[in-house]
Amino acid sequence: MKIAVLPGSFDPVTLGHLDIIRRSSAIFDRVCVAILENSSKSPLFSVEERKELLTRVTADIPNVEIDSFSGMLVDFLKMKDAHVIVKGLRAVSDFEYEFQMALINKKLSPSVETFFMTTNSAYSYLSSSIVKEVASLGGDITGLVSENIISDIYEKIKNKNK
Ligand code: PNS
């Protein structure tokens, strides 16, 4: 069974993430979306909330599971008996960091392979940060995230600003 791990912050999950999850689920037997718990960034959504949003938007993809991890990604892969990391690449600017991560992960765990998937061009400008910025300024985030999580994002931002 070929298991791929798709790591990230997913704060919140965007249509760009969902596109990569969907496409990788067609290639691998199982895709484990792994939310990083101990990020230095201060997140808008808690890990549990991000898990719930990801579960909702991937409900129609049978071979996807949502999990979270702390510490090193390669240790999480070992625990899952997985050898593949999938990362979406949007632009050249993503490449330098992702290349470094792929190489350090290979050094730490030689059996691990990193697969880069080119973003759908429709989402090449999209990031969780830009979604949060548009939403917090009262802009329309339709077409940036799944319809069924739009109200959760506005609600969370409203409550945060109280
Ligand atoms: O969505 P992001 O924030 O770009 O995701 C970054 C992520 C979670 C993929 C990256 O920070 C990560 O893998 N962190 C885990 C720690 C780790 O294994 N670092 C590399 C070796 S020190």
Side-chain angles (χ1 to χ4, degrees):
M1 169 123 94
K2 283 268 174 281
I3 307 168
V5 171
L6 218 159
S9 304
F10 306 102
D11 185 41
V13 55
T14 68
L15 286 183
H17 293 131
L18 191 55
D19 177 65
I20 300 288
I21 296 171
R22 219 176 266 291
R23 284 159 61 205
S24 43
S25 76
I27 297 170
F28 297 96
D29 297 318
R30 193 147 192 87
V31 172
C32 175
V33 179
I35 307 166
L36 176 66
E37 285 172 14
N38 53 345
S39 169
S40 52
K41 305 170 190 170
S42 58
L44 177 63
F45 290 97
S46 70
V47 170
E48 280 314 309
E49 289 165 337
R50 280 179 270 164
K51 236 185 227 179
E52 202 275 310
L53 296 179
L54 270 158
T55 303
R56 210 187 301 164
V57 303
T58 59
D60 66 324
I61 320 174
N63 58 336
V64 169
E65 69 176 58
I66 315 298
D67 211 328
S68 60
F69 73 106
S70 56
M72 284 204 300
L73 179 59
V74 290
D75 292 336
F76 179 76
L77 267 95
K78 259 180 217 141
M79 202 183 78
K80 288 277 163 186
D81 198 21
H83 298 274
V84 177
I85 299 168
V86 173
K87 293 284 334 213
L89 275 188
R90 286 167 302 193
V92 182
S93 51
D94 281 345
F95 185 75
E96 208 173 331
Y97 172 74
E98 296 300 346
F99 192 63
Q100 185 181 27
M101 291 298 270
L103 291 177
I104 188 64
N105 285 330
K106 188 81 184 160
K107 169 91 180 126
L108 292 167
S109 184
S111 67
V112 165
E113 299 292 351
T114 301
F115 276 67
F116 291 118
M117 194 173 272
T118 318
T119 187
N120 181 322
S121 61
Y123 306 127
S124 61
Y125 63 94
L126 197 49
S127 67
S128 297
S129 311
I130 212 79
V131 168
K132 285 181 278 192
E133 184 156 355
V134 173
S136 67
L137 295 171
D140 186 4
I141 54 172
T142 308
L144 308 184
V145 298
S146 297
E147 293 279 336
N148 59 353
I149 66 166
I150 289 180
S151 57
D152 300 74
I153 297 170
Y154 286 122
E155 195 62 27
K156 189 77 187 175
I157 286 173
K158 197 174 82 189
N159 290 335
K160 191 186 140 209
N161 293 335
K162 262 184 191 165

